[in-house]
């Protein structure tokens, strides 16, 4: 089952066979997968014990949700140390063993990596907030208030303002997600270099790919202007001011050409708020950025709005789902590559959502799996339920 394809640096044809086009990706949410020591949390040893099971399933790539050292305010997506393993999951030696044993079985490991923000307990942020003249102050995005108010009217994905006042220096820092997840400032060249080096470190260790979390948001509009607000609300959605901006592409091109390309990893970007035409800016064969993206268009088909509004259900039609997926297949055909999925750690279970989890549970699961496996692109499945 081993995949020995090597991504040629000069590859330009989307039809050329490379390993990630021939793969099935299996997502593992580590804390709920397999608990090997009875402490109530899944761990790396538990994943190691299930490698033969995964191999027998026909899995090619294991996508690990974050296993880095983290306070856990956002399920590990608030990283405290990019070079450390969260203690409840094990040690770096456990990870090295898992990686080596996966490779022996022809399995590849894709890491979940957050480039947009860190934990507020990261050593960089501790320095950044300590003083306005600290060398790492501009590793994050700080602003003074305006007339006793926050710097602008952007709404956080977690609700409320994107700004948090910090009394240490009497300024606000920006957080698109929780206040424990301050956004990094990709305009700071030294911070960017340290992030590039961190990615290189994991590639040297032997990981086979990355899912780049929230990568569409790593660039913000120059000057951080307030969003249009005709109703004069305290905060408003401002996605167009921090999503899929042109600077994102220049950052990814540099990352790919400097760090990624010599290793040929699988790269998937989490990119909300775009259609297939815009996705080609990331995955087009002439772009030198990412292999594929996780798009959200079909994930909002039953939601009244994005963000926290996705839990407000609205009726949907099968023909709408068909139209969305057909358009992604058609537009990217011969020009880019799809990452196909119907559920992940951010979404409800696909059988309950798009099928019938009662009488026709098995039939629904088979139908959805068959559909995913027959689309052009790399299919991704999810396994969160605890395994024996």
């Amino acid at each position: 089952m081993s995949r020995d394809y090597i991504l040629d640096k000069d590859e330009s044809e989307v039809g050329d066979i490379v390993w990630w086009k021939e793969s099935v990706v299996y997502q593992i949410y580590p804390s709920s997968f397999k608990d090997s020591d009875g402490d109530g949390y899944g761990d790396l040893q538990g994943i190691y014990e299930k490698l033969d099971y995964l191999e027998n399933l026909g899995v090619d790539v294991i996508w690990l949700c974050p296993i880095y050292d983290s306070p856990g305010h956002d399920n590990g997506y608030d990283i405290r140390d990019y070079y450390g393993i969260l203690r409840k999951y094990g040690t770096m030696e456990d990870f090295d063993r898992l990686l080596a044993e996966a490779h022996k079985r022809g399995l590849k490991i894709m890491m979940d990596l957050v480039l947009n923000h860190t934990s507020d307990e990261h050593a960089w942020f501790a320095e950044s907030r300590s003083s306005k003249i600290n060398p790492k102050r501009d590793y994050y995005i700080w602003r003074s208030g305006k007339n006793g108010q926050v710097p602008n009217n952007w709404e956080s994905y977690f609700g409320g303002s994107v700004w948090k006042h910090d009394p240490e220096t009497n300024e606000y820092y920006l957080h698109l997600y929780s206040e424990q997840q301050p956004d990094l400032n990709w305009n700071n060249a030294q911070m960017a270099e340290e992030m590039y080096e961190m990615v290189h470190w994991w590639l040297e260790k032997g990981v086979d790919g990355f899912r780049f979390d929230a990568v569409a948001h790593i660039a913000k509009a120059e000057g951080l202007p307030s969003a249009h607000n005709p109703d004069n609300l305290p905060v408003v959605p401002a996605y167009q001011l921090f999503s899929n901006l042109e600077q994102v592409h220049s950052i990814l091109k540099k990352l790919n050409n400097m760090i990624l390309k010599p290793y040929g990893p699988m790269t998937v970007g989490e990119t909300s708020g775009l259609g297939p035409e815009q996705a080609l800016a990331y995955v087009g064969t002439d772009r030198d950025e990412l292999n594929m993206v996780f798009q959200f268009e079909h994930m909002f088909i039953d939601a009244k709005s994005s963000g926290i509004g996705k839990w407000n259900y609205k009726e949907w039609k099968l023909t709408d789902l068909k139209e969305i997926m057909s358009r992604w297949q058609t537009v990217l055909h011969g020009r880019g590559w799809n990452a196909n999925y119907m559920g992940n750690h951010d979404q409800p279970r696909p059988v309950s959502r798009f099928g019938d989890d009662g009488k026709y549970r098995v039939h629904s699961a088979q139908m959805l799996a068959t559909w995913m496996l027959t689309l052009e692109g790399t299919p991704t499945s999810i396994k969160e339920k605890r395994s024996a």
Side-chain angles (χ1 to χ4, degrees):
M1 197 188 76
S2 176
R3 305 297 191 194
D4 295 320
Y5 304 116
I6 298 176
L7 177 61
D8 189 277
K9 294 182 188 178
D10 299 321
E11 181 200 81
S12 60
E13 296 297 325
V14 76
D16 292 347
I17 294 177
V18 291
W19 66 266
W20 43 264
K21 294 178 184 176
E22 292 270 298
S23 297
V24 173
V25 180
Y26 188 96
Q27 182 185 12
I28 288 180
Y29 199 77
S31 64
S32 60
F33 182 70
K34 174 69 187 299
D35 177 8
S36 71
D37 57 10
D39 66 353
Y41 294 99
D43 46 49
L44 295 177
Q45 175 62 24
I47 300 171
Y48 166 75
E49 292 174 2
K50 302 297 286 188
L51 286 177
D52 290 339
Y53 162 74
L54 295 170
E55 181 183 10
N56 290 334
L57 280 181
V59 172
D60 300 290
V61 180
I62 298 170
W63 161 21
L64 293 178
C65 284
I67 57 172
Y68 316 95
D69 179 46
S70 166
H73 289 291
D74 186 20
N75 300 303
Y77 287 91
D78 49 324
I79 299 175
R80 182 164 47 201
D81 181 1
Y82 286 98
Y83 296 92
I85 301 295
L86 184 61
R87 183 59 189 164
K88 73 177 184 179
Y89 293 144
T91 65
M92 189 61 74
E93 289 72 25
D94 293 325
F95 175 80
D96 291 339
R97 180 190 183 203
L98 173 64
L99 183 65
E101 293 298 323
H103 286 168
K104 286 180 183 178
R105 293 165 172 80
L107 302 173
K108 298 184 184 295
I109 300 290
M110 180 170 74
M111 303 289 285
D112 210 332
L113 189 59
V114 186
L115 301 182
N116 181 69
H117 51 263
T118 70
S119 164
D120 63 347
E121 295 185 21
H122 193 288
W124 292 350
F125 192 69
E127 289 195 50
S128 182
R129 76 193 317 176
S130 67
S131 165
K132 292 181 181 180
I133 62 172
N134 187 279
K136 289 185 171 56
R137 179 66 170 185
D138 289 335
Y139 274 34
Y140 298 85
I141 301 171
W142 294 91
R143 292 291 186 275
S144 298
K146 290 186 177 180
N147 301 317
Q149 303 296 320
V150 294
N152 66 29
N153 64 1
W154 295 1
E155 182 180 36
S156 164
Y157 279 108
F158 285 13
S161 173
V162 300
W163 297 101
K164 172 68 174 178
H165 182 258
D166 193 63
E168 188 71 28
T169 57
N170 195 31
E171 285 195 337
Y172 294 82
Y173 65 86
L174 186 146
H175 58 92
L176 293 185
Y177 294 88
S178 81
E179 65 183 54
Q180 291 86 14
Q181 294 169 287
D183 279 43
L184 290 164
N185 177 18
W186 279 88
N187 290 321
N188 184 288
Q190 182 58 42
M191 188 284 299
E193 289 299 320
E194 293 203 47
M195 292 293 280
Y196 293 146
E197 179 54 37
M198 177 270 297
V199 174
H200 180 258
W201 186 86
W202 282 102
L203 288 168
E204 280 288 288
K205 185 174 279 290
V207 303
D208 304 289
F210 299 100
R211 180 258 190 189
F212 292 123
D213 179 77
V215 74
H217 308 314
I218 57 178
K220 282 74 175 175
E222 185 175 356
L224 308 179
S226 284
H228 182 57
N229 187 11
D231 296 325
N232 198 31
L233 298 172
V235 293
V236 293
Y239 309 134
Q240 73 278 10
L241 297 174
F242 54 70
S243 296
N244 302 303
L245 301 183
E246 187 56 39
Q247 188 189 356
V248 174
H249 301 292
S250 60
I251 293 170
L252 288 176
K253 283 181 185 293
K254 184 175 182 180
L255 175 63
N256 185 51
N257 291 325
M258 283 180 51
I259 306 297
L260 300 171
K261 190 175 286 189
Y263 295 87
M266 175 180 177
T267 55
V268 188
E270 182 194 26
T271 54
S272 60
L274 48 68
E277 296 81 9
Q278 293 76 36
L280 286 171
Y282 288 98
V283 305
T285 56
D286 60 341
R287 295 295 296 182
D288 272 344
E289 294 187 27
L290 300 171
N291 301 146
M292 61 197 93
V293 296
F294 284 138
Q295 56 94 0
F296 285 71
E297 197 171 1
H298 64 310
M299 289 291 104
F300 295 145
I301 196 170
D302 60 353
K304 289 184 178 180
S305 64
S306 60
I308 59 176
K310 72 180 181 181
W311 303 111
N312 297 322
Y313 179 80
K314 72 175 182 180
E315 295 294 330
W316 62 282
K317 297 185 296 184
L318 179 60
T319 50
D320 294 335
L321 180 61
K322 178 180 177 181
E323 188 278 329
I324 292 170
M325 298 301 284
S326 295
R327 186 157 46 85
W328 278 86
Q329 291 285 295
T330 302
V331 172
L332 266 62
H333 176 69
R335 304 168 68 193
W337 195 251
N338 274 287
N340 300 314
Y341 74 100
M342 293 303 293
N344 59 31
H345 62 287
D346 282 327
Q347 305 296 336
R349 291 289 190 163
V351 172
S352 299
R353 188 179 190 185
F354 299 107
D356 178 357
D357 57 9
K359 180 178 179 180
Y360 298 105
R361 179 182 63 84
V362 174
H363 294 86
S364 293
Q366 292 172 337
M367 176 273 292
L368 290 169
T370 301
W371 184 38
M372 285 292 98
L373 291 168
T374 52
L375 293 174
E376 182 177 73
T378 299
T380 299
S381 66
I382 182 170
K383 179 67 175 181
E384 292 186 35
K385 186 177 180 182
R386 194 178 308 282
S387 299

